[in-house]
Amino acid sequence: MLLEPMFEQVFLSCSVGCRLELDRFDALAGLRRHYAEASGKHILCADIRKAFDHVPHAPLLDVIRRYIGNPRMRLLLERIIQRPGFEKGIGIPQGDPLSPLFLNVLLHECLDKPLLEKLPEDVCYYRYVDDLCLFGLTNREEGLRHIETIQALLAPVGLSLHPVAESGRNGKTQIVDLSAAPAEWGCDVGGEYEVERYLGLGLRGRADGEMEFFLTPSWRERARTMFRNAEEMIRREGYAGKAAAYAHIQHAAESWLQAFSPAWTPELATMAPVELAGIAREVSAHAEGLDVDTLVRVWQSKHEWWQGKCRRTEAVTPKTVFTKTSHTRRKAV
């Protein structure tokens, strides 16, 4: 895509969603790296409420004009953003290839840059499109203050966070002390009282001072949804022959395990792939050909890659961002 290289030079390393060289693993590895070093163990995970539906066209186009000088390119992007169905000046279609880039462009200016300038230097910050987290907070009250700051930054462009959940309750915006996470949070207990989650994985601190990731109780239903979507694609695309359909389901299962590789443990090394295959056979007519041995090898191989990434990845904090970039940090307000 022509636009991506232009903005890759502008975006900060805290933004990891839909980037050319960064992804969710960079955020998870950075959080894990920072856990052992941070004095505060509270984490704030938040979701911007219906972000794509509420993107305002005027501020977005203002930012685009700031970075793109070609008038014809500007006009083309204006027509894409203000396409039929979005003439009221608000909203971009979720699922469109350009929409995550547009949202990243807007949030880079209205959230990432000003927030990093306000945060304490030892607080770790990541944003995956419309999901963000702050780690290294000393208590819940500090998290609530940062929520107020974020809400104030988002309000001028018509965006807001989901309401913060009550202490100990599950929600799209949560503040949790990871060092005090109950052990039962990692079990399949269900209910409202669940674990702090970020990008689909549960997070908690261990007694040895490290952060660990695990599969939350909702992973089974999420896997069912994933296989239902894969089955729907097989029907919609009209895959030629059973071999192609089997290969598609196999690829879906391998991709799922790779995405959740930080949760790999010796106990789950075989158990999770076997259970995943069982879920696939419940909802898909093309899952009988799943190769479970290959799933086991893929999951372990990706986890080994993940461990190497953790050793190489530095956490994103205001201190690391402003040391490596030309951005001048203003005095915190």
Coordinates of all heavy atoms in Angstrom, one line a residue, residues 52-144:
F52 N -14.4 3.1 15.0 CA -14.5 3.3 13.6 C -15.8 4.0 13.3 O -15.8 4.9 12.4 CB -14.5 1.9 12.9 CG -13.2 1.2 12.9 CD1 -12.9 0.3 13.9 CD2 -12.2 1.5 12.0 CE1 -11.6 -0.3 14.0 CE2 -10.9 0.9 12.0 CZ -10.7 0.0 13.0
D53 N -16.9 3.7 14.0 CA -18.2 4.4 13.7 C -18.2 5.9 14.1 O -19.0 6.6 13.5 CB -19.3 3.7 14.5 CG -19.6 2.3 14.1 OD1 -19.2 2.0 13.0 OD2 -20.1 1.5 14.9
H54 N -17.2 6.3 14.9 CA -17.2 7.7 15.4 C -16.1 8.5 14.9 O -15.9 9.6 15.4 CB -17.3 7.7 17.0 CG -18.6 7.2 17.5 ND1 -18.7 6.1 18.3 CD2 -19.9 7.6 17.4 CE1 -19.9 5.9 18.7 NE2 -20.7 6.8 18.1
V55 N -15.3 8.0 14.0 CA -14.1 8.8 13.5 C -14.7 10.0 12.8 O -15.4 9.9 11.8 CB -13.3 8.0 12.5 CG1 -12.3 8.9 11.8 CG2 -12.5 6.9 13.3
P56 N -14.3 11.2 13.2 CA -14.8 12.5 12.5 C -14.0 12.8 11.3 O -12.7 12.7 11.3 CB -14.6 13.5 13.6 CG -13.5 13.1 14.4 CD -13.5 11.5 14.4
H57 N -14.6 13.0 10.2 CA -13.9 13.2 8.9 C -13.0 14.5 8.9 O -11.9 14.5 8.4 CB -14.9 13.3 7.8 CG -15.6 12.0 7.5 ND1 -16.6 11.8 6.6 CD2 -15.5 10.8 8.1 CE1 -17.1 10.6 6.6 NE2 -16.4 9.9 7.6
A58 N -13.5 15.6 9.4 CA -12.8 16.8 9.3 C -11.4 16.8 10.0 O -10.4 17.1 9.4 CB -13.7 18.0 9.9
P59 N -11.4 16.4 11.3 CA -10.0 16.3 12.0 C -9.1 15.2 11.3 O -7.9 15.5 11.2 CB -10.4 15.8 13.4 CG -11.8 16.2 13.6 CD -12.4 16.1 12.3
L60 N -9.7 14.1 10.8 CA -8.9 13.1 10.1 C -8.3 13.7 8.8 O -7.1 13.6 8.5 CB -9.7 11.9 9.8 CG -9.1 10.8 8.9 CD1 -7.8 10.3 9.5 CD2 -10.1 9.7 8.6
L61 N -9.1 14.4 8.0 CA -8.6 15.0 6.8 C -7.6 16.1 7.1 O -6.6 16.3 6.3 CB -9.7 15.6 6.0 CG -10.6 14.5 5.4 CD1 -11.9 15.1 4.8 CD2 -9.9 13.7 4.3
D62 N -7.7 16.8 8.2 CA -6.8 17.9 8.6 C -5.4 17.2 8.8 O -4.4 17.8 8.4 CB -7.2 18.6 9.9 CG -8.4 19.6 9.6 OD1 -8.6 19.9 8.4 OD2 -9.0 20.0 10.6
V63 N -5.4 16.1 9.5 CA -4.1 15.4 9.8 C -3.5 14.9 8.5 O -2.3 15.0 8.3 CB -4.3 14.2 10.8 CG1 -3.0 13.5 11.0 CG2 -4.9 14.8 12.1
I64 N -4.3 14.3 7.7 CA -3.8 13.8 6.4 C -3.2 14.9 5.5 O -2.1 14.7 5.0 CB -5.0 13.1 5.6 CG1 -5.3 11.7 6.3 CG2 -4.6 12.8 4.2 CD1 -6.5 11.0 5.7
R65 N -3.9 16.0 5.5 CA -3.3 17.2 4.7 C -2.0 17.6 5.3 O -1.1 18.2 4.6 CB -4.3 18.3 4.7 CG -5.6 18.0 4.0 CD -6.5 19.2 3.9 NE -7.8 18.9 3.4 CZ -8.9 18.8 4.1 NH1 -8.8 19.1 5.4 NH2 -10.1 18.5 3.6
R66 N -1.8 17.5 6.6 CA -0.5 17.9 7.2 C 0.6 17.0 6.8 O 1.8 17.5 6.7 CB -0.7 17.8 8.7 CG 0.3 18.5 9.6 CD 0.0 18.4 11.0 NE -1.4 18.7 11.3 CZ -2.0 18.4 12.5 NH1 -1.4 17.7 13.4 NH2 -3.3 18.7 12.7
Y67 N 0.4 15.8 6.4 CA 1.4 14.9 6.1 C 1.5 14.6 4.6 O 2.6 14.1 4.1 CB 1.3 13.5 6.8 CG 1.5 13.7 8.3 CD1 0.5 13.6 9.2 CD2 2.8 13.8 8.8 CE1 0.7 13.7 10.6 CE2 3.1 13.9 10.1 CZ 2.0 13.9 11.0 OH 2.3 14.0 12.4
I68 N 0.5 14.8 3.8 CA 0.4 14.5 2.4 C 0.3 15.8 1.6 O -0.8 16.5 1.7 CB -0.7 13.5 2.0 CG1 -0.4 12.2 2.7 CG2 -0.8 13.3 0.5 CD1 -1.5 11.1 2.5
G69 N 1.3 16.1 0.8 CA 1.2 17.4 0.1 C 0.6 17.3 -1.3 O 0.2 18.3 -1.9
N70 N 0.6 16.1 -1.9 CA 0.1 15.9 -3.2 C -1.5 16.2 -3.3 O -2.2 15.5 -2.7 CB 0.4 14.5 -3.7 CG 0.0 14.3 -5.2 OD1 -1.1 14.6 -5.6 ND2 1.0 13.8 -6.0
P71 N -1.9 17.3 -4.0 CA -3.3 17.6 -4.0 C -4.2 16.5 -4.6 O -5.3 16.3 -4.1 CB -3.4 18.8 -4.9 CG -2.0 19.4 -4.9 CD -1.1 18.2 -4.8
R72 N -3.7 15.7 -5.6 CA -4.5 14.7 -6.2 C -4.7 13.5 -5.2 O -5.8 12.9 -5.1 CB -3.9 14.2 -7.5 CG -3.8 15.3 -8.5 CD -3.1 14.8 -9.8 NE -3.8 13.7 -10.4 CZ -3.4 13.1 -11.5 NH1 -2.3 13.4 -12.1 NH2 -4.2 12.1 -12.1
M73 N -3.6 13.2 -4.4 CA -3.7 12.2 -3.4 C -4.7 12.6 -2.3 O -5.5 11.8 -1.8 CB -2.3 11.9 -2.8 CG -2.3 10.8 -1.7 SD -2.8 9.2 -2.2 CE -1.3 8.7 -3.1
R74 N -4.6 13.9 -1.9 CA -5.5 14.4 -0.9 C -7.0 14.3 -1.4 O -7.8 13.8 -0.6 CB -5.2 15.9 -0.6 CG -4.0 16.2 0.2 CD -3.8 17.7 0.3 NE -2.7 18.1 1.1 CZ -2.4 19.3 1.4 NH1 -3.1 20.3 0.9 NH2 -1.4 19.6 2.1
L75 N -7.2 14.6 -2.6 CA -8.6 14.6 -3.1 C -9.1 13.1 -3.1 O -10.2 12.8 -2.8 CB -8.6 15.2 -4.5 CG -10.0 15.2 -5.2 CD1 -11.0 15.9 -4.4 CD2 -9.9 15.7 -6.6
L76 N -8.2 12.2 -3.6 CA -8.6 10.8 -3.6 C -8.9 10.3 -2.2 O -10.0 9.6 -2.0 CB -7.4 10.0 -4.2 CG -7.6 8.4 -4.2 CD1 -8.8 8.0 -5.0 CD2 -6.4 7.7 -4.7
L77 N -8.1 10.6 -1.2 CA -8.4 10.1 0.2 C -9.7 10.8 0.7 O -10.4 10.1 1.4 CB -7.2 10.5 1.1 CG -5.9 9.7 0.7 CD1 -4.8 10.1 1.7 CD2 -6.1 8.2 0.9
E78 N -9.9 12.0 0.4 CA -11.1 12.7 0.8 C -12.4 12.0 0.2 O -13.3 11.8 0.9 CB -11.1 14.2 0.3 CG -12.3 14.9 0.8 CD -12.2 16.4 0.4 OE1 -11.1 16.9 0.2 OE2 -13.3 17.1 0.4
R79 N -12.3 11.6 -1.0 CA -13.4 10.9 -1.6 C -13.6 9.5 -1.0 O -14.7 9.0 -0.9 CB -13.2 10.8 -3.1 CG -13.4 12.1 -3.8 CD -13.1 12.0 -5.3 NE -13.4 13.3 -6.0 CZ -13.1 13.5 -7.3 NH1 -12.6 12.5 -8.0 NH2 -13.4 14.6 -7.8
I80 N -12.5 8.8 -0.6 CA -12.6 7.5 0.0 C -13.2 7.6 1.4 O -14.1 6.8 1.7 CB -11.2 6.9 0.1 CG1 -10.6 6.5 -1.3 CG2 -11.2 5.6 1.0 CD1 -9.2 6.0 -1.3
I81 N -12.8 8.6 2.1 CA -13.3 8.8 3.5 C -14.8 9.2 3.5 O -15.6 8.8 4.3 CB -12.5 9.8 4.2 CG1 -11.1 9.2 4.5 CG2 -13.1 10.3 5.6 CD1 -10.1 10.2 5.0
Q82 N -15.1 10.1 2.5 CA -16.5 10.6 2.4 C -17.3 9.9 1.4 O -18.1 10.5 0.6 CB -16.5 12.1 2.1 CG -15.8 12.9 3.2 CD -15.6 14.4 2.9 OE1 -15.6 14.8 1.8 NE2 -15.6 15.2 3.9
R83 N -17.1 8.6 1.3 CA -17.8 7.7 0.3 C -19.3 7.6 0.6 O -19.8 8.0 1.7 CB -17.2 6.3 0.4 CG -17.5 5.5 1.6 CD -16.8 4.2 1.7 NE -15.4 4.4 1.9 CZ -14.5 3.3 1.9 NH1 -15.0 2.1 1.7 NH2 -13.3 3.5 2.1
P84 N -20.1 7.1 -0.3 CA -21.5 7.0 -0.1 C -21.8 6.2 1.2 O -21.2 5.1 1.4 CB -22.0 6.2 -1.4 CG -21.0 6.7 -2.4 CD -19.7 6.8 -1.7
G85 N -22.7 6.7 1.9 CA -23.1 6.0 3.2 C -22.4 6.7 4.4 O -22.7 6.4 5.5
F86 N -21.4 7.6 4.1 CA -20.7 8.2 5.2 C -20.6 9.7 4.9 O -19.7 10.4 5.2 CB -19.3 7.7 5.3 CG -19.2 6.3 5.7 CD1 -19.2 5.2 4.8 CD2 -19.1 5.9 7.1 CE1 -19.2 3.9 5.2 CE2 -19.1 4.6 7.5 CZ -19.2 3.6 6.5
E87 N -21.7 10.3 4.3 CA -21.7 11.7 3.9 C -22.0 12.6 5.1 O -21.8 13.8 5.0 CB -22.8 11.9 2.9 CG -22.7 11.1 1.6 CD -23.4 9.8 1.6 OE1 -23.7 9.3 2.7 OE2 -23.7 9.3 0.5
K88 N -22.3 12.1 6.3 CA -22.6 13.0 7.4 C -21.4 13.5 8.1 O -21.5 14.2 9.1 CB -23.5 12.2 8.4 CG -24.9 11.9 7.8 CD -25.8 11.3 8.8 CE -27.2 11.0 8.3 NZ -28.1 10.4 9.3
G89 N -20.2 13.1 7.6 CA -19.0 13.6 8.2 C -18.4 12.8 9.4 O -17.6 13.3 10.1
I90 N -18.9 11.6 9.6 CA -18.5 10.8 10.7 C -18.5 9.3 10.4 O -19.4 8.9 9.7 CB -19.3 11.1 12.0 CG1 -18.8 10.4 13.2 CG2 -20.8 10.7 11.8 CD1 -19.4 10.8 14.5
G91 N -17.5 8.6 10.8 CA -17.5 7.1 10.6 C -16.7 6.7 9.4 O -16.7 7.3 8.4
I92 N -16.0 5.6 9.6 CA -15.3 4.9 8.5 C -15.6 3.4 8.6 O -15.9 2.9 9.7 CB -13.8 5.1 8.6 CG1 -13.2 4.7 9.9 CG2 -13.4 6.5 8.2 CD1 -11.7 4.8 10.1
P93 N -15.7 2.7 7.5 CA -16.2 1.3 7.5 C -15.2 0.3 8.2 O -14.1 0.2 7.7 CB -16.4 1.0 6.0 CG -15.5 1.9 5.3 CD -15.4 3.1 6.1
Q94 N -15.6 -0.3 9.2 CA -14.8 -1.3 9.8 C -14.7 -2.5 8.9 O -15.7 -3.0 8.4 CB -15.4 -1.8 11.2 CG -14.4 -2.6 12.0 CD -14.9 -2.8 13.4 OE1 -15.9 -2.2 13.8 NE2 -14.1 -3.5 14.2
G95 N -13.5 -3.0 8.7 CA -13.2 -4.1 7.7 C -12.6 -3.6 6.4 O -12.1 -4.4 5.7
D96 N -12.7 -2.3 6.1 CA -12.1 -1.8 4.9 C -10.6 -1.8 5.1 O -10.1 -1.4 6.2 CB -12.6 -0.4 4.7 CG -12.1 0.2 3.4 OD1 -11.0 0.7 3.4 OD2 -12.8 0.1 2.4
P97 N -9.8 -2.1 4.1 CA -8.3 -2.2 4.3 C -7.7 -0.9 4.8 O -6.7 -0.9 5.5 CB -7.8 -2.6 2.9 CG -9.0 -3.3 2.3 CD -10.2 -2.6 2.8
L98 N -8.3 0.3 4.4 CA -7.7 1.5 4.8 C -8.1 2.0 6.1 O -7.5 2.9 6.7 CB -8.0 2.6 3.7 CG -7.2 2.6 2.4 CD1 -7.8 3.6 1.4 CD2 -5.8 2.9 2.7
S99 N -9.2 1.5 6.7 CA -9.8 2.1 7.9 C -8.8 2.0 9.1 O -8.7 3.0 9.9 CB -11.1 1.4 8.2 OG -12.1 1.8 7.3
P100 N -8.1 0.9 9.3 CA -7.2 0.9 10.5 C -6.1 1.9 10.3 O -5.6 2.5 11.3 CB -6.6 -0.6 10.4 CG -7.6 -1.4 9.8 CD -8.2 -0.5 8.7
L101 N -5.6 2.1 9.1 CA -4.6 3.2 8.8 C -5.2 4.5 9.2 O -4.5 5.4 9.8 CB -4.1 3.1 7.4 CG -3.1 4.2 7.0 CD1 -1.8 4.1 7.8 CD2 -2.8 4.2 5.5
F102 N -6.4 4.8 8.7 CA -7.0 6.1 9.0 C -7.1 6.3 10.5 O -6.9 7.4 11.0 CB -8.4 6.2 8.3 CG -8.3 6.3 6.8 CD1 -9.3 5.9 6.1 CD2 -7.2 7.0 6.2 CE1 -9.3 6.0 4.7 CE2 -7.2 7.1 4.8 CZ -8.2 6.6 4.1
L103 N -7.6 5.3 11.2 CA -7.7 5.4 12.7 C -6.4 5.6 13.4 O -6.2 6.4 14.3 CB -8.4 4.2 13.3 CG -8.8 4.3 14.7 CD1 -9.7 5.5 15.1 CD2 -9.5 3.0 15.2
N104 N -5.4 4.9 12.9 CA -4.0 5.1 13.4 C -3.5 6.5 13.2 O -2.9 7.1 14.1 CB -3.0 4.1 12.8 CG -3.0 2.7 13.5 OD1 -3.5 2.6 14.6 ND2 -2.6 1.7 12.8
V105 N -3.8 7.1 12.0 CA -3.4 8.4 11.7 C -4.0 9.4 12.7 O -3.3 10.3 13.3 CB -3.8 8.8 10.3 CG1 -3.6 10.3 10.0 CG2 -2.9 8.0 9.3
L106 N -5.3 9.3 12.9 CA -6.0 10.2 13.8 C -5.5 10.1 15.2 O -5.2 11.1 15.9 CB -7.5 9.9 13.7 CG -8.4 10.8 14.6 CD1 -8.3 12.3 14.1 CD2 -9.8 10.4 14.6
L107 N -5.4 8.8 15.7 CA -5.0 8.6 17.1 C -3.6 8.9 17.4 O -3.2 9.2 18.5 CB -5.4 7.2 17.5 CG -6.9 6.8 17.6 CD1 -7.1 5.3 18.0 CD2 -7.6 7.7 18.6
H108 N -2.7 8.8 16.3 CA -1.3 9.2 16.5 C -1.3 10.7 16.9 O -0.5 11.1 17.8 CB -0.6 9.0 15.2 CG 0.8 9.7 15.1 ND1 1.8 9.2 15.8 CD2 1.2 10.9 14.5 CE1 2.9 10.0 15.6 NE2 2.5 11.0 14.9
E109 N -2.1 11.5 16.3 CA -2.1 13.0 16.6 C -2.8 13.3 17.8 O -2.4 14.1 18.7 CB -2.6 13.8 15.4 CG -1.7 13.8 14.2 CD -0.5 14.6 14.5 OE1 -0.5 15.6 15.2 OE2 0.6 14.2 14.0
C110 N -4.0 12.8 18.0 CA -4.9 13.2 19.1 C -4.6 12.4 20.4 O -5.1 12.9 21.5 CB -6.3 13.1 18.7 SG -7.1 11.5 18.7
L111 N -4.0 11.3 20.4 CA -3.8 10.5 21.6 C -2.3 10.1 21.8 O -1.8 10.5 22.9 CB -4.7 9.2 21.5 CG -4.6 8.2 22.7 CD1 -5.1 9.0 23.9 CD2 -5.4 7.0 22.4
D112 N -1.7 9.4 20.9 CA -0.4 8.8 21.2 C 0.6 9.9 21.6 O 1.3 9.8 22.6 CB 0.2 8.0 20.0 CG -0.7 6.8 19.7 OD1 -1.5 6.4 20.6 OD2 -0.5 6.3 18.6
K113 N 0.8 10.9 20.7 CA 1.8 12.0 21.0 C 1.5 12.7 22.3 O 2.4 12.8 23.2 CB 1.9 12.9 19.8 CG 2.6 12.3 18.6 CD 2.4 13.1 17.4 CE 3.0 14.5 17.5 NZ 2.9 15.3 16.3
P114 N 0.3 13.3 22.4 CA 0.1 14.1 23.7 C 0.1 13.2 24.9 O 0.5 13.7 26.0 CB -1.3 14.7 23.4 CG -1.9 13.9 22.4 CD -0.8 13.4 21.5
L115 N -0.4 12.0 24.8 CA -0.4 11.1 26.0 C 1.0 10.8 26.5 O 1.3 10.8 27.7 CB -1.2 9.8 25.8 CG -1.4 8.9 26.9 CD1 -2.0 9.5 28.1 CD2 -2.1 7.6 26.5
L116 N 1.8 10.4 25.6 CA 3.2 10.1 26.0 C 3.9 11.3 26.6 O 4.8 11.1 27.4 CB 4.0 9.6 24.7 CG 3.7 8.1 24.4 CD1 4.3 7.8 23.0 CD2 4.4 7.2 25.4
E117 N 3.5 12.5 26.1 CA 4.2 13.7 26.7 C 3.7 13.9 28.1 O 4.4 14.6 28.9 CB 3.8 14.9 25.8 CG 4.6 14.8 24.5 CD 4.1 15.8 23.5 OE1 3.0 16.5 23.8 OE2 4.7 16.0 22.5
K118 N 2.5 13.4 28.5 CA 2.0 13.6 29.9 C 2.3 12.4 30.8 O 2.3 12.6 32.0 CB 0.5 13.7 29.8 CG 0.0 15.0 29.0 CD -1.5 15.0 28.9 CE -2.0 16.2 28.1 NZ -1.8 17.4 28.8
L119 N 2.6 11.2 30.3 CA 2.8 10.1 31.2 C 4.1 10.2 32.0 O 5.1 10.7 31.5 CB 2.8 8.8 30.4 CG 1.5 8.3 29.8 CD1 1.7 7.1 28.9 CD2 0.5 8.0 30.9
P120 N 4.2 9.6 33.2 CA 5.5 9.4 33.8 C 6.4 8.6 33.0 O 6.0 7.7 32.2 CB 5.1 8.7 35.1 CG 3.6 8.9 35.3 CD 3.0 9.1 34.0
E121 N 7.7 8.8 33.1 CA 8.6 8.2 32.2 C 8.7 6.6 32.4 O 9.2 6.0 31.5 CB 10.0 8.8 32.4 CG 10.1 10.2 32.0 CD 11.6 10.7 31.9 OE1 12.4 10.1 32.5 OE2 11.8 11.7 31.2
D122 N 8.3 6.1 33.5 CA 8.4 4.7 33.7 C 7.1 3.9 33.5 O 7.0 2.7 33.8 CB 8.9 4.3 35.1 CG 8.0 4.9 36.2 OD1 7.1 5.7 35.9 OD2 8.2 4.5 37.4
V123 N 6.1 4.6 32.9 CA 4.8 3.9 32.5 C 4.9 3.4 31.1 O 5.2 4.2 30.2 CB 3.6 4.8 32.7 CG1 2.3 4.2 32.2 CG2 3.4 5.1 34.2
C124 N 4.5 2.1 30.9 CA 4.6 1.5 29.6 C 3.2 1.7 28.9 O 2.2 1.5 29.5 CB 4.9 0.0 29.8 SG 5.0 -0.9 28.3
Y125 N 3.3 2.1 27.6 CA 2.0 2.4 26.9 C 2.1 1.7 25.5 O 3.0 1.8 24.8 CB 1.9 3.9 26.7 CG 0.8 4.3 25.7 CD1 -0.5 4.0 25.9 CD2 1.1 5.0 24.5 CE1 -1.5 4.3 25.0 CE2 0.1 5.4 23.6 CZ -1.2 5.0 23.8 OH -2.1 5.4 22.9
Y126 N 0.9 1.0 25.2 CA 0.8 0.4 23.9 C -0.7 0.7 23.4 O -1.6 0.8 24.2 CB 1.0 -1.1 23.9 CG 2.5 -1.4 24.0 CD1 3.0 -1.8 25.2 CD2 3.3 -1.4 22.9 CE1 4.3 -2.2 25.3 CE2 4.6 -1.7 23.0 CZ 5.2 -2.1 24.2 OH 6.5 -2.4 24.3
R127 N -0.8 0.8 22.1 CA -2.1 0.9 21.5 C -2.2 -0.1 20.3 O -1.3 0.1 19.4 CB -2.5 2.3 21.1 CG -3.8 2.4 20.4 CD -4.2 3.8 20.0 NE -3.2 4.4 19.1 CZ -3.2 4.2 17.8 NH1 -4.0 3.4 17.2 NH2 -2.2 4.7 17.0
Y128 N -3.2 -1.0 20.2 CA -3.4 -1.8 19.1 C -4.7 -1.3 18.5 O -5.8 -1.7 18.9 CB -3.5 -3.3 19.5 CG -3.6 -4.2 18.3 CD1 -2.4 -4.8 17.8 CD2 -4.8 -4.5 17.7 CE1 -2.5 -5.7 16.8 CE2 -4.8 -5.4 16.6 CZ -3.7 -6.0 16.2 OH -3.8 -6.8 15.1
V129 N -4.6 -0.4 17.5 CA -5.7 0.2 16.8 C -6.6 0.9 17.9 O -6.3 2.0 18.4 CB -6.5 -0.7 15.9 CG1 -7.5 0.1 15.1 CG2 -5.6 -1.5 15.0
D130 N -7.7 0.3 18.3 CA -8.6 0.9 19.3 C -8.5 0.3 20.7 O -9.3 0.7 21.6 CB -10.0 0.9 18.9 CG -10.6 -0.5 18.5 OD1 -9.8 -1.4 18.5 OD2 -11.8 -0.6 18.3
D131 N -7.5 -0.6 20.9 CA -7.3 -1.2 22.2 C -6.0 -0.7 22.8 O -5.0 -0.8 22.1 CB -7.2 -2.7 22.1 CG -8.6 -3.3 21.8 OD1 -9.6 -3.0 22.4 OD2 -8.6 -4.2 20.9
L132 N -6.0 -0.1 24.0 CA -4.8 0.5 24.5 C -4.6 0.0 26.0 O -5.5 -0.5 26.6 CB -4.9 2.0 24.5 CG -6.0 2.7 25.2 CD1 -5.7 3.1 26.6 CD2 -6.5 3.9 24.5
C133 N -3.3 0.1 26.4 CA -3.0 -0.3 27.8 C -1.9 0.5 28.3 O -1.0 1.0 27.6 CB -2.7 -1.8 27.9 SG -1.0 -2.2 27.3
L134 N -1.9 0.8 29.6 CA -0.9 1.4 30.4 C -0.5 0.5 31.5 O -1.3 0.0 32.2 CB -1.4 2.7 31.0 CG -1.9 3.8 30.1 CD1 -2.4 5.0 30.9 CD2 -0.8 4.3 29.1
F135 N 0.8 0.3 31.6 CA 1.3 -0.6 32.7 C 2.4 0.1 33.5 O 3.2 0.8 32.9 CB 1.8 -2.0 32.2 CG 2.4 -2.8 33.2 CD1 1.6 -3.4 34.2 CD2 3.8 -3.0 33.3 CE1 2.1 -4.1 35.3 CE2 4.3 -3.8 34.3 CZ 3.5 -4.3 35.3
G136 N 2.5 -0.2 34.8 CA 3.5 0.4 35.6 C 2.9 1.4 36.6 O 3.5 2.2 37.2
L137 N 1.5 1.3 36.7 CA 0.8 2.2 37.6 C 0.9 1.7 39.0 O 1.0 0.5 39.3 CB -0.7 2.3 37.2 CG -1.0 2.5 35.7 CD1 -2.5 2.5 35.4 CD2 -0.3 3.7 35.1
T138 N 0.9 2.7 39.9 CA 1.1 2.3 41.3 C -0.2 1.9 42.0 O -0.1 1.1 43.0 CB 1.7 3.5 42.1 OG1 0.9 4.6 41.9 CG2 3.1 3.8 41.6
N139 N -1.3 2.3 41.6 CA -2.6 2.0 42.2 C -3.7 2.3 41.3 O -3.5 2.8 40.2 CB -2.7 2.7 43.5 CG -2.5 4.2 43.4 OD1 -3.0 4.8 42.5 ND2 -1.7 4.8 44.3
R140 N -4.9 1.9 41.7 CA -6.1 2.1 40.9 C -6.4 3.6 40.7 O -6.8 4.0 39.6 CB -7.3 1.5 41.6 CG -8.6 1.6 40.8 CD -9.8 0.9 41.5 NE -11.1 1.1 40.8 CZ -11.5 0.4 39.7 NH1 -10.7 -0.5 39.2 NH2 -12.6 0.7 39.2
E141 N -6.1 4.4 41.7 CA -6.4 5.9 41.6 C -5.6 6.5 40.5 O -6.0 7.4 39.8 CB -6.1 6.5 42.9 CG -7.1 6.2 44.0 CD -7.1 4.8 44.5 OE1 -6.0 4.2 44.5 OE2 -8.2 4.2 44.8
E142 N -4.3 6.0 40.3 CA -3.5 6.6 39.2 C -4.1 6.2 37.9 O -4.1 7.0 37.0 CB -2.0 6.0 39.3 CG -1.1 6.6 38.2 CD 0.3 6.1 38.3 OE1 0.6 5.3 39.2 OE2 1.0 6.4 37.4
G143 N -4.6 5.0 37.8 CA -5.2 4.5 36.6 C -6.4 5.4 36.2 O -6.7 5.8 35.1
L144 N -7.2 5.7 37.3 CA -8.4 6.5 37.0 C -8.0 7.9 36.6 O -8.7 8.5 35.7 CB -9.2 6.6 38.3 CG -9.9 5.3 38.8 CD1 -10.6 5.5 40.1 CD2 -11.0 4.9 37.7

